[in-house]
Amino acid sequence: MTQRFDLTGKVAVVTGAADGLGAASARALSEHGATVVLLDISLDGAQAVTDALPTPGLALRCDVSDQTEVVQAFATIRERFGHIEVLHNNAGVSFTGRGDAPPDELEFDMWQHIIGINLTGTFLCTKYALPMMVDRPEGASVINTGSIAGPVLGSTTTAYSAAKGGVVAMTRCLTTTHGGRGIRANVICPGSMDTKMAAMVKSRPDLRERFISQVPLGRQGLPEDIQGLVVFLASDSSSYFSGNVLVIDGGLHLV
Ligand SMILES: NC(=O)c1ccc[n+]([C@@H]2O[C@H](COP(=O)([O-])OP(=O)(O)OC[C@H]3O[C@@H](n4cnc5c(N)ncnc54)[C@H](O)[C@@H]3O)[C@@H](O)[C@H]2O)c1
């Protein structure tokens, strides 16, 4: 059974891999034998994570919202490896309480910035990864990171929620358009996870207590909490699993 989670021989690309959930994903994929390519706007950060991986990986600087940088990164991956079995579109930014607001209060630049990284970044990386992923004998897996904000729960963050809703829709389209070419695509929708992105929850004990008291499992998520799901979706164990939205939030969406 453990062999079904073995990722030896697979090339996995993780975006936003220098920190938080992306770094946890890269570590888990590497621990299960994959060769991991870590893309991040912070090359130093991605390199530090890469240096600590159990199997050799590759760190590349890439701003996922910039088409030129994405083209360059995937050209390097093609040159070095020639194929990709797993793409984890994880890079994202959130400006909760810092400008992402209802439409009448949201600045256009802020909208474009958030959509650019969370949604356009997912599109661009998928676009340039797909030619190296299609028609592989054992198929290939696209794992997109959404959020409970937007696709699952209501939220005040217009741009972030719209971007994450778009990520879910794009994943479903990909399931439909590329299933016949061996691509399965699924979305992970985390609740509040203890990373830099959710630093505000940590910095405000009152907010943290209130939040935690609402989570059925009684705690904030940790980056490690997504690792099992990522390995499952990357592995041949999920070979008949596509088009799903997987919520990982300690049960918060039912409250
Ligand atoms: N932390 C949470 O509570 C939470 C909840 C739901 C969804 N998410 C989603 O999970 C994903 C990871 O979030 P996190 O909490 O690990 O965030 P994080 O801020 O801890 O890490 C994000 C990583 O993405 C990188 N990044 C930012 N902009 C980039 C760009 N333009 N190009 C490439 N890399 C870029 C950062 O350098 C960083 O390494 C995001 O898509 C986020 O929306 C997080």
Side-chain angles (χ1 to χ4, degrees):
M1 191 62 186
T2 47
Q3 272 178 339
R4 302 219 59 196
F5 296 99
D6 182 13
L7 304 178
T8 306
K10 294 188 194 291
V11 173
V13 178
V14 182
T15 70
D19 214 332
L21 306 186
S25 166
R27 277 192 288 272
L29 294 167
S30 178
E31 276 163 16
H32 284 76
T35 299
V36 186
V37 182
L38 296 87
L39 305 185
D40 204 284
I41 202 161
S42 162
L43 179 58
D44 288 350
Q47 191 61 57
V49 176
T50 305
D51 291 345
L53 294 177
T55 51
L58 175 67
L60 297 174
R61 179 196 140 99
C62 177
D63 175 348
V64 297
S65 67
D66 182 320
Q67 179 166 221
T68 307
E69 289 196 24
V70 174
V71 167
Q72 181 56 52
F74 283 91
T76 304
I77 294 167
R78 178 180 286 285
E79 229 173 77
R80 288 285 296 266
F81 306 106
H83 57 96
I84 297 171
E85 281 75 23
V86 181
L87 171 66
H88 184 182
N89 283 308
N90 162 85
V93 289
S94 138
F95 289 84
T96 308
R98 295 181 294 136
D100 194 357
D104 53 345
E105 296 165 29
L106 177 58
E107 296 296 337
F108 183 57
D109 286 354
M110 175 64 81
W111 163 268
Q112 282 194 309
H113 181 64
I114 294 170
I115 294 288
I117 297 171
N118 293 284
L119 183 58
T120 308
T122 299
F123 157 67
L124 287 174
C125 291
T126 307
K127 175 176 173 62
Y128 291 104
L130 272 179
M132 286 180 269
M133 299 183 80
V134 292
D135 305 327
R136 304 207 55 76
E138 284 168 355
S141 173
V142 175
I143 306 166
N144 288 332
T145 299
S147 171
I148 57 169
V152 182
L153 298 181
S155 169
T156 55
T157 54
T158 304
Y160 183 78
S161 300
K164 294 304 191 182
V167 167
V168 170
M170 208 191 304
T171 310
R172 289 184 166 143
C173 289
L174 190 60
T175 298
T176 311
T177 58
H178 280 69
R181 299 193 69 184
I183 302 294
R184 56 190 195 279
N186 296 282
V187 194
I188 295 176
C189 286
S192 180
M193 312 297 280
D194 189 359
T195 68
K196 279 193 189 132
M197 181 178 281
M200 197 178 69
V201 178
K202 210 171 194 167
S203 70
R204 294 254 319 264
D206 56 322
L207 203 69
R208 191 160 188 273
E209 283 314 306
R210 189 147 37 95
F211 166 72
I212 285 174
S213 70
Q214 290 170 355
V215 181
L217 288 180
R219 65 174 176 85
Q220 195 179 20
L222 299 170
E224 296 73 40
D225 286 321
I226 67 147
Q227 288 180 317
L229 199 46
V230 168
V231 170
F232 166 67
L233 293 174
S235 74
D236 299 343
S237 293
S238 63
S239 60
Y240 197 53
F241 199 79
S242 196
N244 298 289
V245 179
L246 300 154
V247 176
I248 175 157
D249 69 347
L252 184 64
H253 65 286
L254 292 177
V255 175

